[in-house]
Amino acid sequence: MKEQIWTQIEAVRQQSPLVHSITNYVVMNNTANALLAVGASPIMAHAHPEMADMVSIAGALVINIGTLDEYWVKSMMLAIEQANVSGKPWVLDPVGAGATLYRDEVLQQILVQKPSIIRGNASEILALANKNTTQTKGVDSTNASTDAVLAAKQLNEEFGSVVCISGAIDIIVGQGKIIKLSNGHPLMAKVTGMGCTATALTGAFVAVNPQGQFWASVSAMALMGVAGQIAANLAKGPASLQLHFLDTLYQLTQQDFLQYIQVDEYE
């Protein structure tokens, strides 16, 4: 399994997929740099007249609802329509699901279009499945990833999407399998947009493996966790973590990856 994941990391580096992200203002620079560091090519366009053309040339589409407004929502829907028409995989990051009525209404419009992959924290996954009984804390999770496994299974069954629950343990649900990844570091939570970066990387991996959405998700989250863990060991705080994280994504070797990766079937 570990070698299979590394093969996909190498595929991203070799194929340099173009990832079209309709994402939020807060994370654009972070996610673009992370995509470049893993070998992918980012583009972030929002104008309605070019949505169809942009999705047509991209390997995958990433939809991140972090900073919603009406214009961007239409951009998202146009891009999703083109992705579905052209058979391109697309990834949904339901940032802040459950925080506001408007956010939840937009997510319901998006969900019925059946994302290839959904990646969110536990509270967001629970909110998508209408199972979050606690008050949400903005875009932060108030639940552990293990709390959302049943909700992830429900979303997988209802929409056919592979569902990734990120947290101290990352859990990926889909294709009759559940995998857990136990890498990463608590310091990563002190850097804004790390979850959004994970979603962007997922877009790169599914672009090179459009039919293997489950393993694309596992591979992206494995790389994210290992790079974060190595970076945290070198960092003195959140600022230096960002620097070391990008460098690790760029320089990571197979030997180091296989030494650090902790991946198992979820029981």
Side-chain angles (χ1 to χ4, degrees):
M1 187 188 306
K2 296 177 180 179
E3 288 76 10
Q4 178 183 355
I5 295 170
W6 179 255
T7 298
Q8 297 204 52
I9 294 172
E10 289 187 318
V12 172
R13 290 175 171 177
Q14 292 165 4
Q15 296 182 35
S16 189
L18 179 64
V19 180
H20 179 200
S21 298
I22 302 179
T23 189
N24 68 74
Y25 296 114
V26 181
V27 304
M28 284 186 180
N29 185 67
N30 305 56
T31 55
N33 282 331
L35 285 167
L36 288 169
V38 300
S41 182
I43 190 162
M44 297 175 181
H46 309 92
H48 297 167
E50 66 176 354
M51 281 301 96
D53 290 340
M54 203 63 77
V55 173
S56 295
I57 63 172
L61 170 68
V62 171
I63 299 292
N64 178 310
I65 70 159
T67 50
L68 282 179
D69 69 23
E70 290 84 352
Y71 188 91
W72 280 27
V73 170
K74 185 174 180 181
S75 300
M76 292 173 184
M77 299 310 296
L78 289 170
I80 290 167
E81 179 182 5
Q82 182 60 38
N84 285 341
V85 166
S86 57
K88 298 292 178 72
W90 59 283
V91 186
L92 170 64
D93 191 331
V95 179
T100 68
L101 180 60
Y102 176 61
R103 196 164 290 261
D104 289 345
E105 288 174 347
V106 170
L107 282 170
Q108 289 307 310
Q109 295 177 44
I110 294 174
L111 275 177
V112 296
Q113 300 302 318
K114 299 186 176 180
S116 307
I117 300 168
I118 302 169
R119 193 226 58 86
N121 64 41
S123 294
E124 291 163 348
I125 299 303
L126 286 164
L128 284 185
N130 298 313
K131 292 186 180 298
N132 199 344
T133 58
T134 61
Q135 180 64 40
T136 185
K137 186 185 177 185
V139 300
D140 297 326
S141 183
T142 56
N143 299 91
S145 54
T146 51
D147 296 336
V149 173
L150 291 179
K153 288 182 177 179
Q154 176 185 319
L155 293 169
N156 173 248
E157 291 171 2
E158 185 173 356
F159 300 106
S161 311
V162 170
V163 182
C164 173
I165 316 161
S166 60
I169 297 174
D170 298 318
I171 299 173
I172 298 90
V173 176
Q175 297 179 352
K177 297 181 285 290
I178 305 179
I179 293 291
K180 69 174 182 178
L181 298 158
S182 305
N183 292 105
H185 192 278
L187 189 59
M188 295 172 72
K190 300 298 182 183
V191 177
T192 191
M194 276 294 188
C196 301
T197 298
T199 304
L201 296 187
T202 302
F205 278 82
V206 77
V208 301
N209 190 8
Q211 302 306 316
Q213 297 159 7
F214 180 81
W215 288 109
S217 300
V218 172
S219 300
M221 297 307 297
L223 176 59
M224 184 83 191
V226 168
Q229 189 172 337
I230 293 173
N233 291 339
L234 298 170
K236 296 181 179 179
S240 55
L241 175 69
Q242 294 183 78
L243 298 175
H244 289 299
F245 177 71
L246 289 175
D247 285 349
T248 303
L249 287 178
Y250 183 73
Q251 298 174 338
L252 186 65
T253 65
Q254 181 177 5
Q255 180 180 352
D256 286 341
F257 178 78
L258 295 178
Q259 176 185 340
Y260 275 88
I261 181 65
Q262 298 181 56
V263 55
D264 297 286
E265 293 187 11
Y266 181 81
E267 297 178 0

